[in-house]
Amino acid sequence: MMSKRIVIAGWMLVMGLVAGTGLSAQAQGTSIGPSGLKVPRFVSLKSDRVNVRGGPSTDHKVKWVFRRAGLPVEIVHEFENWRQIRDSEGEEGWVYHSLLSGRRTALISPWQTAGTLVSLRKDPTEEAGVTAKAQIGVQVDIKECEQGWCEVSVRNYNGWLKSNLLWGVYPNEEIN
């Protein structure tokens, strides 16, 4: 009985240290993961069927399935070939690395009321003409971001949006 408690206490200590390491990395902003890339970072789903698991192996149960290629997700942790991701609703789970793409996409203001329209601008200024209007929640491809604005495309429309209207881009992130 005593040895079982020691093993459990030891396991809890190890898990606490691992969790503490993850929190300190998040508190510091970004770090470099085992892949050699920054964590956290935004990526997109490569496939239109992606299983999200409860842990970093196929031994863990599937929590849910994404069914939309190109959807942006945020990598918040890496373990070997597995990536812990967060979606736009704040849900987290684990995905095998080959199901993710470096292609940058974003969702237009998914936190706003459905049906709201935002204006895509001809240039990265509030005064620029409107090239198109897009609904909240629409997935866009990111072409570039600079000085708080991102050039995006959706279907056959291109335009500029303020980066704070996009889920899939960090504040003041530069993308070329």
Side-chain angles (χ1 to χ4, degrees):
M1 185 70 164
M2 182 62 109
S3 64
K4 195 177 212 179
R5 285 186 187 159
I6 292 171
V7 169
I8 290 172
W11 178 249
M12 289 174 65
L13 176 63
V14 168
M15 292 307 291
L17 290 173
V18 169
T21 302
L23 290 175
S24 65
Q26 286 178 353
Q28 293 173 356
T30 61
S31 63
I32 302 298
S35 66
L37 300 172
K38 290 181 181 179
V39 176
R41 69 180 179 279
F42 283 104
V43 295
S44 59
L45 303 179
K46 193 182 283 188
S47 171
D48 60 1
R49 181 175 166 76
V50 175
N51 291 337
V52 180
R53 297 183 177 274
S57 78
T58 55
D59 294 338
H60 292 274
K61 289 184 179 181
V62 173
K63 291 172 66 175
W64 76 88
V65 179
F66 281 119
R67 297 191 182 275
R68 188 164 144 195
L71 195 66
V73 293
E74 183 180 28
I75 294 176
V76 295
H77 188 73
E78 296 183 348
F79 177 77
E80 295 176 356
N81 289 326
W82 290 85
R83 306 296 178 254
Q84 185 177 24
I85 56 108
R86 179 182 303 132
D87 69 11
S88 64
E89 296 175 2
E91 296 296 319
E92 293 187 6
W94 291 85
V95 173
Y96 196 68
H97 74 102
S98 65
L99 297 172
L100 301 171
S101 168
R103 177 178 150 223
R104 295 297 298 270
T105 64
L107 296 175
I108 298 176
S109 304
W111 54 86
Q112 290 190 28
T113 306
T116 303
L117 296 175
V118 297
S119 298
L120 277 67
R121 303 281 177 181
K122 183 177 179 181
D123 295 305
T125 67
E126 290 285 349
E127 296 77 30
V130 175
T131 61
K133 297 224 180 225
Q135 286 191 342
I136 298 305
V138 167
Q139 180 181 312
V140 297
D141 289 316
I142 298 173
K143 294 179 157 192
E144 68 175 296
C145 293
E146 58 183 42
Q147 299 177 349
W149 287 85
C150 293
E151 184 179 14
V152 301
S153 66
V154 55
R155 296 182 182 87
N156 293 324
Y157 298 97
N158 295 316
W160 290 86
L161 281 174
K162 287 193 135 191
S163 60
N164 65 357
L165 294 176
L166 298 171
W167 191 88
V169 177
Y170 294 112
N172 301 316
E173 182 179 10
E174 301 283 321
I175 299 174
N176 297 320

